[in-house]
């Protein structure tokens, strides 16, 4: 019998388990992960950026958790000797019509308490000598890290706290047993007093297994990246982002120096035909059918048809992808780029076609379900974990059935 069972061994699930162990040291905690390793999906395939929180609506969970999380993540990395670099980033306008949007972003950064500074094109080129822009802002608190290493440290801490960590254990069913819940898995059944669903790409399905309707469906978007060849890595010193389109939910193709010294360019954002579809050819009939029969998807597609077509073109045309990158660094050529890993974003979408913009945490009976935690969830993971634990009943108040 466990007091708390966390489903999902990505960065949010592990951060939650760690926060639980820290707050309630005598409780029995179980973490279930269907893959053979931690952080296999969203966490293990993201860009490794420690985000500042500049993009998010003031007062939202994303704004608060990301701003605070960027500090707590750095503190955690320092405490546990995890490689990281607070290198900062520049966000740039390359077209005249982008300058007002850049100013709006600057103001949002100030509203969110982010250290942000207007800089001239010349100052931007002092930071990034190969950059082309009309205006820029500098965000000094942005950094880079390997979140898979962070997760391995989380798991080590949970184990030292006495938590029970189970890999290769896929959840099949959830059902009540008196006041408790039984989790049926590929490795047997587990009884727990409380379930915490951090299932990422499958969080909506897990919620429904627990008789909870999150009022949204996970739609998977694949982000495809290229990598600069070793001899061209010197073109990028830190991180270079375009001004995002405020009407489109993604940040646009950008350059990211990774903690291992490689430089990634991207991502685009296209519908994935499989929830765990990291290749263009990946396909799952159930996953795709759920998307194309969901009214919210077609409403979203109609609203963003122009941008969606551009993303699909960039997915299939390297030349189009390169042209987007050349707006930032004109020297980049197709021969300087080689394909690298892709990631899949678990984006919650409502029936009316609206994307769930904030983190979505839905309560259920003896359960809580994290049903929307895409970027900046990795940056925010320590803060999300603490927030979830703050919503949980005290162990002494859980009904015990022996």
């Amino acid at each position: 019998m466990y007091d708390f069972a966390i489903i999902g061994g990505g960065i949010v699930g592990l951060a939650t388990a760690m926060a639980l162990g820290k707050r309630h040291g005598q409780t029995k905690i179980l973490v279930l992960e269907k893959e053979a390793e931690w952080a296999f999906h969203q966490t293990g395939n993201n860009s490794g950026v420690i985000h500042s929180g500049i993009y998010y609506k003031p007062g939202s969970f994303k704004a608060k958790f990301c701003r605070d999380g960027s500090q707590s993540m750095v503190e955690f990395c320092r405490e546990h000797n995890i490689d990281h670099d607070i290198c900062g980033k520049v966000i740039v306008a390359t077209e005249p019509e982008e300058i007002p949007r850049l100013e709006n972003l600057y103001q949002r950064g100030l509203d969110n308490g982010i250290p942000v500074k207007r800089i001239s094109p010349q100052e931007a080129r002092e930071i990034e000598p190969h950059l082309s822009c009309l205006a820029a802002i500098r965000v000094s608190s942005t950094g880079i890290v390997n979140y898979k290493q962070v997760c391995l440290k989380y798991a080590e801490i949970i184990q030292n706290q006495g938590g029970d960590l189970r890999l290769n254990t896929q959840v099949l069913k959830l059902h009540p047993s008196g006041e408790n819940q039984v989790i049926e898995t590929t490795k047997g059944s587990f009884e727990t007093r409380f379930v915490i669903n951090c299932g990422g790409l499958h969080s909506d399905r897990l919620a429904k297994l627990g008789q909870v309707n999150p009022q949204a469906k996970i739609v998977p978007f694949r982000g495809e990246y290229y990598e600069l060849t070793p001899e061209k890595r010197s073109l990028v010193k830190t991180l270079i982002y375009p001004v995002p389109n405020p009407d489109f939910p993604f940040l646009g193709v950008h350059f990211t120096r990774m903690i291992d010294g490689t430089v990634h360019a991207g991502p685009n954002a296209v519908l994935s035909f499989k929830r765990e579809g990291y290749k263009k050819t990946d396909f799952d009939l159930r996953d795709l059918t759920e998307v194309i029969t969901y009214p919210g998807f077609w409403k979203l597609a109609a609203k963003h048809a122009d941008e969606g077509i551009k993303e699909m073109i960039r997915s299939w045309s390297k030349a189009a992808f390169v042209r987007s990158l050349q707006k930032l660094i004109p020297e980049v050529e197709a021969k300087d780029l080689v394909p690298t890993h892709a990631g899949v974003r678990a984006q919650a979408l409502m029936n009316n076609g609206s994307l769930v913009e904030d983190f979505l945490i839905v309560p259920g009976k003896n359960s809580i379900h994290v049903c929307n935690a895409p970027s900046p969830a990795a940056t925010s993971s320590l803060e999300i974990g603490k927030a979830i634990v703050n919503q949980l009943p005290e162990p002494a108040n859980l009904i015990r059935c022996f």
Side-chain angles (χ1 to χ4, degrees):
M1 169 72 76
Y2 294 92
D3 293 300
F4 297 97
I6 293 97
I7 303 172
I11 200 165
V12 173
L14 292 170
T16 302
M18 187 174 66
L20 262 174
K22 184 176 181 180
R23 176 79 64 86
H24 306 298
Q26 302 304 311
T27 58
K28 295 189 67 177
I29 299 169
L30 172 68
V31 182
L32 301 173
E33 168 54 48
K34 71 184 180 71
E35 305 294 350
E37 58 188 83
W38 306 113
F40 189 80
H41 288 293
Q42 289 189 97
T43 308
N45 292 287
N46 68 23
S47 61
V49 175
I50 302 175
H51 287 285
S52 65
I54 191 172
Y55 298 108
Y56 311 113
K57 183 179 178 180
S60 65
F61 288 129
K62 280 190 176 182
K64 182 181 187 305
F65 291 166
C66 188
R67 183 194 63 224
D68 296 345
S70 66
Q71 298 176 28
S72 57
M73 180 59 65
V74 171
E75 292 168 2
F76 183 88
C77 291
R78 287 173 178 164
E79 180 182 355
H80 297 285
N81 297 314
I82 296 172
D83 288 342
H84 66 287
D85 182 13
I86 308 307
C87 55
K89 76 174 176 182
V90 290
I91 305 174
V92 303
T94 59
E95 303 288 346
E97 61 268 22
E98 293 175 344
I99 294 176
R101 301 209 309 256
L102 184 67
E103 178 62 22
N104 290 339
L105 194 60
Y106 170 77
Q107 292 297 331
R108 174 163 284 191
L110 296 179
D111 292 342
N112 284 335
I114 306 302
V116 57
K117 179 184 178 183
R118 293 189 191 94
I119 57 175
S120 68
Q122 180 179 350
E123 290 172 315
R125 283 190 288 272
E126 289 173 2
I127 299 167
E128 294 289 351
H130 303 276
L131 176 65
S132 174
C133 69
L134 300 178
I137 58 177
R138 167 78 168 163
V139 187
S140 59
S141 59
T142 301
I144 51 176
V145 72
N146 183 329
Y147 282 116
K148 200 144 194 172
Q149 290 181 3
V150 172
C151 284
L152 292 177
K153 180 55 67 172
Y154 285 1
E156 178 185 322
I157 292 171
I158 296 163
Q159 198 158 34
N160 291 339
Q161 290 170 338
D164 189 356
L165 299 171
R166 304 288 185 104
L167 293 167
N168 297 303
T169 308
Q170 182 174 355
V171 172
L172 304 174
K173 293 182 180 179
L174 293 171
H175 58 82
S177 175
E179 292 297 326
N180 300 323
Q181 294 216 46
V182 173
I183 307 173
E184 294 185 18
T185 78
T186 52
K187 294 293 182 69
S189 297
F190 303 88
E191 190 167 359
T192 183
R193 298 182 179 91
F194 203 96
V195 169
I196 305 170
N197 165 19
C198 299
L201 285 157
H202 301 280
S203 57
D204 57 337
R205 292 173 176 170
L206 289 165
K208 289 181 179 178
L209 286 179
Q211 307 303 310
V212 171
N213 184 355
Q215 302 296 322
K217 182 179 291 293
I218 294 296
V219 175
F221 289 93
R222 185 174 61 255
E224 298 162 335
Y225 289 87
Y226 284 91
E227 181 180 332
L228 286 179
T229 57
E231 59 272 17
K232 290 294 183 176
R233 291 173 186 170
S234 60
L235 291 175
V236 178
K237 305 299 182 186
T238 58
L239 301 111
I240 305 171
Y241 280 66
V243 181
N245 183 342
D247 298 323
F248 198 58
F250 304 100
L251 296 180
V253 294
H254 49 269
F255 290 95
T256 305
R257 179 168 288 280
M258 310 291 279
I259 198 65
D260 63 0
T262 59
V263 177
H264 286 191
N268 62 345
V270 293
L271 176 68
S272 175
F273 295 163
K274 182 180 180 181
R275 291 203 181 195
E276 296 166 4
Y278 299 100
K279 300 176 182 177
K280 290 183 176 71
T281 54
D282 284 343
F283 172 84
D284 182 274
L285 182 60
R286 178 192 178 190
D287 291 350
L288 181 58
T289 300
E290 281 190 7
V291 171
I292 63 175
T293 58
Y294 186 55
F297 169 72
W298 293 108
K299 294 172 185 176
L300 176 74
K303 181 179 179 182
H304 297 294
D306 290 346
E307 290 294 337
I309 291 170
K310 291 177 185 177
E311 295 291 337
M312 287 188 286
I313 291 172
R314 276 193 288 262
S315 175
W316 290 99
S317 168
K318 185 177 183 180
F321 203 109
V322 171
R323 285 195 296 271
S324 295
L325 295 172
Q326 287 172 335
K327 291 182 178 180
L328 302 173
I329 298 182
E331 293 174 54
V332 170
E333 299 179 20
K335 62 183 177 62
D336 303 329
L337 298 162
V338 293
T340 186
H341 77 277
V344 178
R345 174 188 178 118
Q347 175 63 56
L349 176 64
M350 300 177 69
N351 193 63
N352 65 4
S354 298
L355 293 167
V356 179
E357 294 184 358
D358 210 350
F359 297 135
L360 177 63
I361 302 175
V362 183
K365 182 180 179 182
N366 291 341
S367 65
I368 197 164
H369 303 265
V370 182
C371 292
N372 193 58
S375 180
T379 302
S380 310
S381 58
L382 292 167
E383 305 305 315
I384 296 173
K386 288 189 290 187
I388 292 172
V389 171
N390 287 339
Q391 295 186 40
L392 300 179
E394 292 293 320
N397 296 330
L398 291 171
I399 297 175
R400 297 177 180 270
C401 302
F402 294 97

